[in-house]
Amino acid sequence: MTKLAIGQINSTVGALRSNADRIIQTAGRALDAGARLIVFPEMALTGYPPRDLLNVAGFLAEADAVLDEVAAAVPEGIAVVLGTVRRVQGRHGGRRLIDAAVALERGKLLAEVPKTLLPTYDVFDESRYFEPAPQDVSRILTVDGVRYGLTVCEDLWNDRLAWGEDRRYRRDPVAEVVEEGADVILNLSASPYALGKLGLRERIVSNAASRWRRPVVYAAAVGANDALIFDGGSLAARSDGRFVDVAPLFEESLRIIDLEGPVVKPPSVEPMAELSQALVLGLSDYARKTGMRGAIVGLSGGIDSALVASLASLAFGPRQVLGVAMPSRFSSDHSLADARTLADRLGIEFSVVPIEPAHAAYETMLAPALDALGPRPADDVTFENVQARIRGAVLMALSNRTGRLLLTTGNKSECSVGYCTLYGDTCGGLAVIADLWKTQVYQLARWLNEHRIAGAIPESTLTKPPSAELRPDQRDDQSLPPYDLLDRVLHELVERELSIADAAAATGADPALVGRIGRMLYRAEYKRKQFAPTLRVSGRGWVGRDYPVAQGWV
Amino acid sequence: MTKLAIGQINSTVGALRSNADRIIQTAGRALDAGARLIVFPEMALTGYPPRDLLNVAGFLAEADAVLDEVAAAVPEGIAVVLGTVRRVQGRHGGRRLIDAAVALERGKLLAEVPKTLLPTYDVFDESRYFEPAPQDVSRILTVDGVRYGLTVCEDLWNDRLAWGEDRRYRRDPVAEVVEEGADVILNLSASPYALGKLGLRERIVSNAASRWRRPVVYAAAVGANDALIFDGGSLAARSDGRFVDVAPLFEESLRIIDLEGPVVKPPSVEPMAELSQALVLGLSDYARKTGMRGAIVGLSGGIDSALVASLASLAFGPRQVLGVAMPSRFSSDHSLADARTLADRLGIEFSVVPIEPAHAAYETMLAPALDALGPRPADDVTFENVQARIRGAVLMALSNRTGRLLLTTGNKSECSVGYCTLYGDTCGGLAVIADLWKTQVYQLARWLNEHRIAGAIPESTLTKPPSAELRPDQRDDQSLPPYDLLDRVLHELVERELSIADAAAATGADPALVGRIGRMLYRAEYKRKQFAPTLRVSGRGWVGRDYPVAQGWV
């Protein structure tokens, strides 16, 4: 059988020419290695997801022109299958877009197959842009007498037997290509990472192969675009469902595949190893693709900022990371000491900017206006927020001066209940761990300490009770339930999207407490609307979530 | 013929019980006035758009329960047609949602008709949630022997003759209900306001009536939900396309309609009158529906903040608005004087908080950390941003203390090119005029001065060259092209979504300049990702726009 290749590449959204160069070069290397056909991921040419760039006619025209350039530039002797957007005559008149698998060889387009199943939920909005493949679509590409059936990402995810009642769509493009006579099923994919999704993806590919008794070649995108991380891990399964190739995770890779070669087993990956790699890739790609160099992190001495600084030092190298401690009149001595210890051990730059001068200045400045409003209410948090906002302004000043990316350090638990100050600790261009529950933050920090950063996070940071230190003797558990309980309830409300009553029933927690948490969650929506893009590592993060701010439900 | 009614009501998203009460009471009043049938807007029971509340199973169950309560509570003798979400057996297994027109009378559901055309573009994402009506749907409701054809919003907007090649969908539900034998066409609508859309909507309704030679009754939602403003203006057209009823804009209204009554002409509305009413409704509904009382506006003496304060004083009454001037070492005397004059003339509260103490404190505080980074670059804007952020923190402190809503004052031109400081002048819960070009800001300010606020905006605010006053003798035109040229180019790039090359061709402007503006636009995407919800008054605002931050296209 013909040797195949998978080009597991890291495309940048909109960077048509550099993505094209990457495709052409990778195809050349595949040919040199003896492959006659190479498969690239979904939207490899445009980057995925291109979002509203797809509304720009000039962008679509350029994508067509660059596709022609790719066809002109690939070496003779190899067929290339890649994902891109194409304009077609719409079914109802006018020109519409398809999310296409395009096959080409030097000087010639061979085939153009539209994606059939267009996910439109959670982070996906493909019905916003694309037409599905018509019922009578042909998806076969023949190379050296072998018939390859072309499918795109979600097309692989609707097997009737596998999903039963949970099946999302009526059509099954895999069954359709089999019926059309495919010998081998190709799938071009861009599937966003989520913790724990890896095994599911392997099962989907393996099941498709064994069910239809045909090899399946799954070409996955790698790299991060804004909040979405694509983890790679392309797969080739032979017709009994066993794998003959498993590409590495979180990095580019050219795979040369012999579908009759020996069987390999996907390596088992520790969840925390996977998670840290995902976040490191998300961080470094966001900075690289936006042209920022290095990062700034405010270091409170607490666990969240310690974890973010550790991830940043892995992503950028320690010399490209600046940690900033900003002690106030309420900061404990150990906070500054812990921050300094962390910075020393990570080897990152470290700066201390005490915020008392600005804190005092705001008190003086605001006194007349505030006094005119009458006596200070008992639960007033005005000056707690002022402190957080001073720190945000200090960090942004350093970001403005250096061109480094300020990283937001909030976690998913805080972000859920709004236990954060808008324009204060929420400042930053990218939120690194805001899709990790506080309990996961501890887990990942301990794992990194043990496996990647040689215990850089001080033990006291890991063990002391969390505190915002915005007033004397403040502790998180004065405002919030214990994090293990809070996270358990929030999991039901945020990730499973249960109502308050259903979440109370599911967790067995006190309904009054669940009600309080639910109200905090819904009422903090206005803060999340102004939150930085958050790297998405769960099945339900903040990107792709769209709740109303003004609402009368909760 | 039976007397009909339209219940043009202002529903709140998710507020099932209060929306139900409004429906029941309005139906009672309609019956008292002799109507046998009343039509409410799309999603009148749930509010529109409910967005991801539709993912919450408990919310869907509650919507069903409340619908039953409505059926139990409406008076005998009137049929009620209203919009809500319903769960149905999906076409591919599992239960799916429909955007339904439900007909009921006391104690009984009469009909349930799914919306057929599900807009999924710009601000709409209905394919994310809903299944379309099946091909063999029946949409007829018979009352007193008259057959009413039920359609929902977009269902009315796909006439083959009217749209030709621009037609978005294959099906035309209006043609389908006619074929099914409808005597009268009902349309339940929630159509977001945009300046200039009113005439189009009238033509759509009138054309449908005259084309099919049947009366059309168009029940429109009114009120604002987050960034979207629904302007009302329900219509009833008789079979020759002429109107027998035109409901008022921007307010609730119960219409009792005689389809054989005298013809009325839709009043012509001055564009600036319409725009100011839309913004006032957007403001007051956002505050009311989020439970905020009154507003805070930072007053720079410039035109943007003057306009926002004027609109706020119309929305809340002047005593509920606090204007805050925050002069710095770079503020001109006339700025403070203009701010004070404006506040006096509007009759709003006024406070002055000079920011020099904090400005000086930041200089002292930051000096060691900044000096360690080397000499200050020539184009450094660090301390310009610090000033803007001090002002943001001052305003937020006053908002935190008072519970008043801080309003963001940036306009669409600034917001497009990123001529604003994130966490500084972008602070605020709602952006009031960020969908108005700077040229429209002047236009609306002058119109308000003349017609609504008795010249409260000082002439010098209207005539002086715009300046951020963040350094000595700063003027906007040092950083930006003149606003008339800038707005013309941005219109092509933002609203028409042209590429830089196409926008240069369309405007005839210098391609290098258009390129510079385009780069500013695309590179400011990260600021807009953290911008407050912006009241949408154009055909293409910030809500419903989804461009990537990290991208290699521009």
Side-chain angles (χ1 to χ4, degrees):
Chain A
M1 196 176 243
T2 304
K3 262 203 205 160
L4 289 184
I6 296 175
Q8 177 174 299
I9 61 171
N10 184 342
S11 298
T12 296
V13 167
L16 296 167
R17 267 163 221 286
S18 74
N19 296 340
D21 288 346
R22 205 173 287 259
I23 287 166
I24 294 162
Q25 284 161 21
T26 309
R29 286 168 48 214
L31 178 66
D32 293 345
R36 285 276 299 129
L37 171 69
I38 181 165
V39 189
F40 289 97
E42 181 180 20
M43 290 283 168
L45 190 61
T46 60
Y48 182 90
R51 303 201 187 273
D52 281 2
L53 286 180
L54 296 173
N55 293 342
V56 180
F59 178 75
L60 302 171
E62 183 82 355
D64 284 346
V66 173
L67 181 67
D68 290 341
E69 290 172 24
V70 172
V74 290
E76 303 241 21
I78 188 163
V80 175
V81 178
L82 61 82
T84 187
V85 59
R86 296 289 279 171
R87 292 174 292 180
V88 295
Q89 188 63 37
R91 286 177 302 167
H92 327 133
R95 286 182 76 77
R96 301 303 166 92
L97 305 186
I98 57 169
D99 180 339
V102 171
L104 55 85
E105 60 182 23
R106 188 179 181 90
K108 191 156 76 175
L109 295 189
L110 303 171
E112 178 177 290
V113 178
K115 187 174 185 174
T116 305
L117 306 183
L118 299 173
T120 304
Y121 53 84
D122 189 38
V123 300
F124 303 107
D125 51 7
E126 295 187 3
S127 294
R128 179 177 169 95
Y129 307 107
F130 300 117
E131 297 262 294
Q135 197 69 49
D136 59 353
V137 65
S138 169
R139 298 191 187 84
I140 299 292
L141 167 73
T142 305
V143 176
D144 291 347
V146 179
R147 284 160 303 180
Y148 296 93
L150 271 52
T151 65
V152 183
C153 204
E154 191 92 342
D155 287 350
L156 191 63
W157 291 69
N158 198 44
D159 186 272
R160 192 169 52 81
L161 299 184
W163 297 98
E165 278 296 284
D166 291 333
R167 208 172 167 228
R168 218 176 256 276
Y169 316 90
R170 191 172 37 84
R171 293 172 70 181
D172 179 358
V174 176
E176 292 179 24
V177 294
V178 168
E179 190 164 338
E180 209 188 336
D183 303 310
V184 178
I185 296 161
L186 305 184
N187 186 265
L188 289 67
S189 182
S191 178
Y193 171 76
L195 185 61
K197 190 175 174 185
L198 213 51
L200 174 62
R201 215 185 276 153
E202 288 161 6
R203 281 197 302 284
I204 294 281
V205 170
S206 168
N207 287 347
S210 57
R211 170 163 183 191
W212 299 108
R213 309 218 156 275
R214 277 156 182 81
V216 175
V217 175
Y218 172 85
V222 71
N225 288 316
D226 289 356
L228 298 183
I229 300 160
F230 300 89
D231 50 345
S234 297
L235 298 165
R238 57 185 208 184
S239 55
D240 62 357
R242 300 212 277 172
F243 295 111
V244 292
D245 195 70
V246 178
L249 295 168
F250 305 111
E251 61 184 60
E252 293 196 306
S253 184
L254 170 61
R255 315 303 300 173
I256 307 295
I257 294 159
D258 179 354
L259 285 173
E260 282 138 12
V263 165
V264 295
K265 244 178 88 100
S268 80
V269 188
E270 263 191 272
M272 289 302 116
E274 185 189 307
L275 190 54
S276 65
Q277 281 184 284
L279 294 168
V280 164
L281 178 60
L283 257 172
S284 54
D285 265 10
Y286 186 86
R288 180 171 64 82
K289 293 177 180 182
T290 56
M292 308 286 285
R293 297 212 309 171
I296 295 181
V297 186
L299 296 181
S300 68
I303 184 73
D304 297 321
S305 57
L307 177 58
V308 171
S310 303
L311 291 164
S313 78
L314 293 171
F316 303 111
R319 302 310 304 165
Q320 295 302 315
V321 179
L322 170 61
V324 187
M326 293 163 288
S328 78
R329 64 183 77 159
F330 302 124
S331 298
S332 53
D333 293 341
H334 68 75
S335 296
L336 181 57
D338 288 345
R340 189 185 300 278
T341 303
L342 173 77
D344 286 349
R345 291 184 188 166
L346 287 174
I348 64 176
E349 289 184 62
F350 184 61
S351 196
V352 182
V353 181
I355 65 165
E356 180 57 29
H359 192 169
Y362 275 105
E363 288 179 315
T364 314
M365 256 167 61
L366 285 166
L370 291 177
D371 291 349
L373 297 167
R376 177 180 178 279
D379 58 349
D380 179 59
V381 295
T382 303
F383 277 94
E384 297 187 31
N385 286 336
V386 163
Q387 294 166 66
R389 292 190 179 114
I390 293 169
R391 293 191 173 112
V394 166
L395 293 167
M396 285 303 297
L398 292 166
S399 172
N400 288 160
R401 181 62 68 88
T402 59
R404 289 184 185 199
L405 176 64
L406 176 60
L407 301 177
T408 309
T409 57
N411 61 62
K412 192 170 189 172
S413 312
E414 287 177 3
C415 197
S416 294
V417 293
Y419 194 67
C420 53
T421 300
L422 199 51
Y423 324 125
D425 49 317
T426 66
C427 286
L430 184 71
V432 183
I433 59 167
D435 197 20
L436 264 63
W437 302 114
K438 186 82 173 187
T439 39
Q440 291 177 304
V441 167
Y442 280 104
Q443 222 183 330
L444 182 58
R446 288 191 184 281
W447 187 89
L448 282 181
N449 246 6
E450 197 170 323
H451 296 93
R452 291 286 185 278
I453 53 170
I457 300 176
E459 190 56 26
S460 58
T461 295
L462 290 159
T463 51
K464 68 187 170 191
S467 166
E469 296 198 332
L470 294 171
R471 59 173 189 262
D473 303 319
Q474 186 175 30
R475 290 217 321 254
D476 289 10
D477 61 9
Q478 293 159 353
S479 309
L480 302 175
Y483 278 112
D484 54 349
L485 174 59
L486 180 67
D487 287 359
R488 209 149 48 79
V489 172
L490 286 172
H491 174 80
E492 304 299 323
L493 293 170
V494 176
E495 298 199 4
R496 297 189 60 212
E497 298 185 272
L498 297 189
S499 67
I500 288 170
D502 292 344
T507 56
D510 172 16
L513 176 68
V514 178
R516 195 181 132 232
I517 294 170
R519 283 188 296 279
M520 292 171 88
L521 169 69
Y522 277 79
R523 287 171 191 182
E525 202 58 51
Y526 80 97
K527 294 188 182 182
R528 289 187 291 270
K529 284 278 185 275
Q530 298 188 42
F531 208 74
T534 295
L535 292 177
R536 191 248 203 195
V537 294
S538 78
R540 188 72 169 128
W542 302 121
V543 57
R545 180 185 152 98
D546 189 14
Y547 277 74
V549 175
Q551 54 83 27
W553 165 240
V554 169
Chain B
M1 197 178 244
T2 303
K3 261 202 206 162
L4 289 185
I6 296 174
Q8 177 174 299
I9 62 171
N10 184 342
S11 297
T12 296
V13 168
L16 296 166
R17 268 164 220 286
S18 74
N19 296 340
D21 288 346
R22 203 173 290 257
I23 288 166
I24 294 162
Q25 283 161 22
T26 310
R29 288 167 48 214
L31 178 67
D32 293 346
R36 287 274 301 128
L37 171 69
I38 181 165
V39 189
F40 289 97
E42 181 179 21
M43 290 282 169
L45 190 61
T46 60
Y48 183 90
R51 304 199 186 273
D52 281 3
L53 287 179
L54 296 174
N55 294 340
V56 181
F59 178 75
L60 302 171
E62 183 81 356
D64 283 347
V66 173
L67 182 67
D68 289 341
E69 290 172 25
V70 172
V74 290
E76 302 238 26
I78 188 164
V80 174
V81 179
L82 60 82
T84 186
V85 59
R86 296 290 277 172
R87 291 174 292 180
V88 296
Q89 188 63 38
R91 286 177 301 166
H92 327 133
R95 286 183 77 76
R96 302 303 167 92
L97 306 186
I98 58 169
D99 179 340
V102 171
L104 54 86
E105 62 183 21
R106 188 178 182 91
K108 191 155 77 173
L109 295 190
L110 303 171
E112 178 178 290
V113 178
K115 186 176 187 175
T116 305
L117 306 183
L118 300 172
T120 303
Y121 54 84
D122 189 39
V123 299
F124 304 107
D125 51 8
E126 295 186 3
S127 294
R128 179 177 169 94
Y129 308 107
F130 300 117
E131 296 264 295
Q135 196 70 48
D136 59 353
V137 65
S138 169
R139 300 191 187 82
I140 299 292
L141 166 75
T142 305
V143 176
D144 291 350
V146 178
R147 286 160 299 180
Y148 296 93
L150 271 52
T151 64
V152 183
C153 206
E154 191 93 341
D155 287 350
L156 192 63
W157 291 70
N158 198 44
D159 186 90
R160 193 168 52 81
L161 300 183
W163 296 98
E165 278 297 283
D166 292 333
R167 210 172 166 227
R168 218 177 257 275
Y169 317 90
R170 190 173 37 85
R171 294 173 68 181
D172 180 358
V174 177
E176 292 178 25
V177 295
V178 169
E179 192 163 335
E180 207 188 335
D183 302 311
V184 177
I185 295 161
L186 304 184
N187 186 265
L188 289 66
S189 182
S191 179
Y193 171 76
L195 185 60
K197 189 176 173 186
L198 212 52
L200 173 62
R201 215 185 277 152
E202 288 162 6
R203 280 196 303 282
I204 293 281
V205 170
S206 169
N207 286 347
S210 57
R211 171 165 181 189
W212 299 108
R213 308 216 157 278
R214 276 155 183 82
V216 175
V217 176
Y218 172 87
V222 72
N225 287 316
D226 290 355
L228 298 182
I229 301 160
F230 300 90
D231 48 345
S234 297
L235 299 165
R238 56 184 210 186
S239 56
D240 62 358
R242 299 211 278 171
F243 295 111
V244 293
D245 195 70
V246 177
L249 294 169
F250 305 111
E251 61 185 59
E252 292 195 304
S253 183
L254 169 62
R255 316 303 299 173
I256 307 294
I257 294 158
D258 180 353
L259 286 173
E260 282 139 10
V263 165
V264 295
K265 244 177 87 101
S268 79
V269 188
E270 262 191 274
M272 290 300 117
E274 184 188 307
L275 190 55
S276 65
Q277 281 184 282
L279 293 168
V280 164
L281 178 60
L283 257 172
S284 54
D285 264 11
Y286 185 87
R288 180 172 64 81
K289 293 177 179 181
T290 55
M292 308 286 285
R293 297 214 310 170
I296 295 182
V297 187
L299 297 181
S300 68
I303 184 74
D304 297 320
S305 57
L307 176 58
V308 171
S310 302
L311 291 165
S313 78
L314 293 171
F316 302 110
R319 303 310 306 167
Q320 295 302 316
V321 179
L322 170 61
V324 187
M326 294 164 288
S328 77
R329 65 184 76 161
F330 302 124
S331 298
S332 52
D333 294 341
H334 67 77
S335 297
L336 180 58
D338 287 345
R340 189 186 301 278
T341 303
L342 173 77
D344 285 351
R345 290 184 188 164
L346 288 173
I348 64 176
E349 289 184 63
F350 184 62
S351 196
V352 181
V353 180
I355 65 165
E356 180 58 26
H359 191 168
Y362 276 106
E363 288 179 316
T364 313
M365 258 167 60
L366 285 167
L370 290 177
D371 291 349
L373 297 167
R376 176 178 178 281
D379 58 349
D380 179 59
V381 295
T382 304
F383 277 94
E384 295 186 33
N385 286 337
V386 163
Q387 294 166 66
R389 293 191 178 113
I390 293 169
R391 292 190 174 113
V394 167
L395 293 167
M396 285 303 296
L398 292 166
S399 171
N400 288 159
R401 181 61 68 89
T402 58
R404 290 185 184 198
L405 176 64
L406 175 60
L407 301 177
T408 310
T409 56
N411 61 62
K412 192 171 190 171
S413 312
E414 286 177 5
C415 198
S416 295
V417 292
Y419 195 67
C420 53
T421 299
L422 199 51
Y423 323 125
D425 49 317
T426 67
C427 286
L430 184 71
V432 183
I433 58 168
D435 197 21
L436 263 64
W437 301 115
K438 186 81 173 187
T439 39
Q440 291 177 304
V441 167
Y442 280 104
Q443 222 184 329
L444 183 58
R446 286 190 184 283
W447 187 89
L448 282 181
N449 245 7
E450 198 169 325
H451 296 94
R452 292 286 184 276
I453 53 170
I457 300 176
E459 189 58 25
S460 58
T461 295
L462 290 159
T463 51
K464 67 188 169 190
S467 166
E469 295 196 332
L470 295 170
R471 59 172 189 262
D473 302 320
Q474 186 175 32
R475 290 215 324 252
D476 290 10
D477 62 9
Q478 293 158 352
S479 309
L480 301 175
Y483 278 111
D484 54 349
L485 173 59
L486 180 67
D487 288 358
R488 210 149 47 79
V489 171
L490 286 172
H491 175 80
E492 304 299 323
L493 292 171
V494 176
E495 300 199 2
R496 297 188 62 210
E497 299 186 272
L498 297 189
S499 66
I500 288 170
D502 292 344
T507 55
D510 173 15
L513 176 68
V514 178
R516 197 181 131 231
I517 294 170
R519 284 188 296 278
M520 291 170 87
L521 169 68
Y522 277 79
R523 288 172 191 181
E525 203 57 51
Y526 80 97
K527 294 188 181 183
R528 289 187 291 271
K529 285 278 184 276
Q530 298 189 42
F531 208 75
T534 295
L535 292 177
R536 191 249 204 194
V537 294
S538 78
R540 188 71 170 127
W542 303 121
V543 56
R545 180 185 152 98
D546 189 14
Y547 276 74
V549 175
Q551 54 83 28
W553 164 240
V554 169

